[in-house]
Amino acid sequence: MNSTPFANQITLDALFDAYFSCRQNKRNTINALRFEAEYEQNLITLCDEINQGTYQPGKSIAFVIDKPVKREIFAADFRDRVVHHLIISKLNPLFEKEFIYDSYACRVGKGTHFGIKRVDGFIRKCSKNYTQDCYVLKLDIEAFFMHIDKGILFNRLAQFIKTHYRQPDQLLILSLCQKIIENEPTKHCIIKGKRSNWDGLPSGKSLFHSPKNCGLPIGNLTSQIFANFYMNAFDHFVKHDLGVRYYGRYVDDSILVHQDKLYLQSIFLKIDEFLKTQLKLSIHPKKIYFQHYSKGVKFLGVVIKPHRIYIQDRIKGNFYDAINRQNKIATEEPPNQEDKKRFLSIMNTYLGLMKHYKTYRLRKRMALKYISSWWWNRHYSSGGFAKLVAKQRKVKKARWNQSY
């Protein structure tokens, strides 16, 4: 890795922009607050390290979450996250020009709701508004993030940067990408919680067990965007080489819709071969779905059926569990400001997903029946239980008796 000064360097202004982008909607973690206490000097030091070629990623915090599914998270140090935002701000506009329209993850205006609407539209168009047969093939990549080959990723990314990124700091950005991709966050990481938290987590879902020179940490902005870039070759293969018009992908979940059942069957082996030979990835054998559209398809937390989209039972169960966890926090001790912010964020995440579908009665019932009175005394529903809003505290004005 390069450890000599770069002739063409990044500017402090660019790093400040990355810093302000990074701190938006963030939680007040200890390392973030520590960095912000003297953020100007810290950014100057970080800028010097980057331009001198001496920057190295720091320690990550590793922990396990249980909802919505059990998974391992690596939270990078705040200064590293600033570097991640710097890189993505430089490369993302170029990535957007290369990505197909129907890759939905980590793209502005193309989240889960957009992906659901697109797949619903695919089925309606392909079936001529439910008047003709069409079939849905849904595939999932086995242990996707843990099996991303770092060598393949960096070689493809290096070629992309050399071809499309023509800025003076090209070599510097390339060096930063290499350091982030080749970084091994499992070494010298800080474990948050107990080692037993990893019990029950499949080895294929942990960086601690990923194959040599493979795996990106879930939780980093660069991991999310680089993973999308990694799958871009597959997207173009399906859309252009195989000629599948109705195709969409969200991270490692891919959906293909076609009128010809035999055609979908015939290209399955081609898809499997491409993933194995070009990207060293495998289709999850237990997560292959191939059915007539009338049977419905589960995608991004909903079930898409003719004339109807409804929330999966898994989402309802997770929402119920989340409410119980927040109620427990309120009963054990008075929640602090961070607890209150987290409550609103969690509740509105679920309500925000559910409000797009015919779930008014469900949202109302779950909110009124299960959310504790402690939270209701401090919040109210808005937009027909589409979101919760914190009540404004009334400030009592002191009356002063002035004597002259």
Side-chain angles (χ1 to χ4, degrees):
M1 294 184 184
N2 201 318
S3 59
T4 58
F6 288 90
N8 294 292
Q9 305 183 339
I10 66 163
T11 65
L12 189 57
D13 285 345
L15 203 59
F16 266 87
D17 289 341
Y19 162 73
F20 288 119
S21 176
C22 182
R23 72 193 296 267
Q24 285 181 352
N25 302 318
K26 68 167 185 64
R27 290 175 57 188
N28 293 321
T29 57
I30 293 175
N31 62 29
L33 292 172
R34 187 182 298 119
F35 187 95
E36 291 183 354
E38 298 181 8
Y39 75 93
E40 291 181 333
Q41 183 57 52
N42 286 332
L43 287 173
I44 292 172
T45 301
L46 179 58
C47 189
D48 288 340
E49 289 181 18
I50 292 172
N51 288 328
Q52 292 297 317
T54 59
Y55 164 79
Q56 293 294 337
K59 293 182 180 180
S60 295
I61 298 175
F63 57 95
V64 172
I65 61 172
D66 292 312
K67 298 293 181 180
V69 294
K70 191 163 189 173
R71 65 179 50 176
E72 175 187 82
I73 304 293
F74 279 84
D77 190 74
F78 187 81
R79 74 196 304 267
D80 294 328
R81 281 183 273 163
V82 173
V83 176
H84 298 169
H85 278 262
L86 172 71
I87 292 171
I88 298 307
S89 69
K90 301 269 189 178
L91 298 182
N92 217 29
L94 301 175
F95 286 156
E96 282 294 321
K97 294 179 181 179
E98 293 295 311
F99 290 165
I100 66 168
Y101 186 78
D102 283 292
S103 66
Y104 311 124
C106 303
R107 301 177 68 186
V108 176
K110 293 190 176 183
T112 56
H113 181 54
F114 179 84
I116 291 166
K117 287 180 62 178
R118 288 290 292 175
V119 171
D120 180 50
F122 290 165
I123 294 171
R124 283 190 288 103
K125 291 176 182 177
C126 191
S127 65
K128 298 290 192 288
N129 205 24
Y130 314 122
T131 61
Q132 297 182 9
D133 288 334
C134 80
Y135 299 85
V136 179
L137 174 61
K138 182 170 173 285
L139 307 171
D140 186 282
I141 304 297
E142 188 169 18
F144 173 55
F145 275 94
M146 307 311 151
H147 283 82
I148 291 176
D149 187 284
K150 294 184 178 183
I152 293 175
L153 172 60
F154 179 70
N155 288 337
R156 288 177 179 268
L157 186 59
Q159 185 59 48
F160 178 85
I161 291 174
K162 291 174 182 177
T163 303
H164 299 282
Y165 187 74
R166 304 296 182 84
Q167 301 302 315
D169 59 359
Q170 182 193 78
L171 292 179
L172 189 152
I173 294 300
L174 187 59
S175 174
L176 288 176
C177 289
Q178 184 177 12
K179 289 178 179 180
I180 289 170
I181 291 172
E182 293 183 353
N183 180 47
E184 297 288 349
T186 55
K187 295 181 180 179
H188 313 298
C189 66
I190 300 169
I191 301 295
K192 181 180 179 181
K194 302 176 182 178
R195 291 278 184 178
S196 60
N197 292 346
W198 272 257
D199 294 347
L201 181 72
S203 59
K205 292 188 176 182
S206 173
L207 273 184
F208 293 102
H209 302 285
S210 61
K212 185 178 180 180
N213 199 39
C214 290
L216 297 181
I218 296 176
N220 289 350
L221 176 63
T222 46
S223 296
Q224 298 167 358
I225 304 300
F226 287 170
N228 225 9
F229 174 79
Y230 194 76
M231 291 296 289
N232 185 54
F234 175 70
D235 294 338
H236 284 277
F237 172 73
V238 174
K239 287 285 290 184
H240 303 131
D241 293 7
L242 298 181
V244 180
R245 179 181 179 185
Y246 300 116
Y247 163 80
R249 178 182 59 81
Y250 187 93
V251 190
D252 58 339
D253 285 345
S254 300
I255 281 190
L256 299 82
V257 183
H258 202 278
Q259 290 178 330
D260 191 340
K261 180 179 181 180
L262 295 178
Y263 179 73
L264 286 178
Q265 290 176 328
S266 70
I267 65 173
F268 177 83
L269 292 178
K270 295 179 181 179
I271 289 172
D272 186 52
E273 181 183 10
F274 181 92
L275 287 170
K276 288 179 177 177
T277 58
Q278 300 298 315
L279 301 176
K280 294 186 179 180
L281 298 173
S282 299
I283 297 172
H284 198 302
K286 295 182 180 180
K287 295 184 179 180
I288 301 170
Y289 177 90
F290 186 39
Q291 289 286 352
H292 191 272
Y293 76 91
S294 61
K295 302 292 184 181
V297 58
K298 295 179 180 179
F299 188 57
L300 303 181
V302 304
V303 180
I304 302 173
K305 299 192 82 170
H307 306 291
R308 185 187 177 195
I309 300 175
Y310 58 91
I311 299 294
Q312 283 183 242
D313 289 340
R314 173 175 62 85
I315 301 298
K316 300 174 190 177
N318 289 343
F319 188 22
Y320 174 78
D321 291 342
I323 292 173
N324 283 339
R325 286 195 298 272
Q326 296 305 307
N327 288 344
K328 186 177 180 181
I329 291 172
T331 56
E332 290 180 345
E333 58 184 61
N336 57 32
Q337 286 301 116
E338 194 62 37
D339 292 330
K340 294 174 184 178
K341 289 180 182 178
R342 190 177 303 115
F343 167 79
L344 269 183
S345 175
I346 293 172
M347 295 300 104
N348 288 336
T349 295
Y350 283 101
L351 293 173
L353 169 64
M354 297 168 69
K355 73 179 182 181
H356 293 290
Y357 312 103
K358 295 180 180 179
T359 59
Y360 171 75
R361 291 183 179 179
L362 173 64
R363 285 179 276 129
K364 181 180 179 180
R365 178 174 60 84
M366 292 194 71
L368 294 180
K369 185 175 181 179
Y370 299 118
I371 296 177
S372 72
S373 58
W374 194 96
W375 292 114
W376 274 122
N377 288 336
R378 292 158 178 81
H379 299 85
Y380 63 92
S381 69
S382 175
F385 292 91
K387 66 180 295 187
L388 296 184
V389 181
K391 294 179 180 178
Q392 296 295 321
R393 294 178 59 188
K394 294 181 179 179
V395 180
K396 295 183 179 180
K397 296 183 179 179
R399 295 181 179 178
W400 298 88
N401 292 320
Q402 298 179 350
S403 58
Y404 298 92

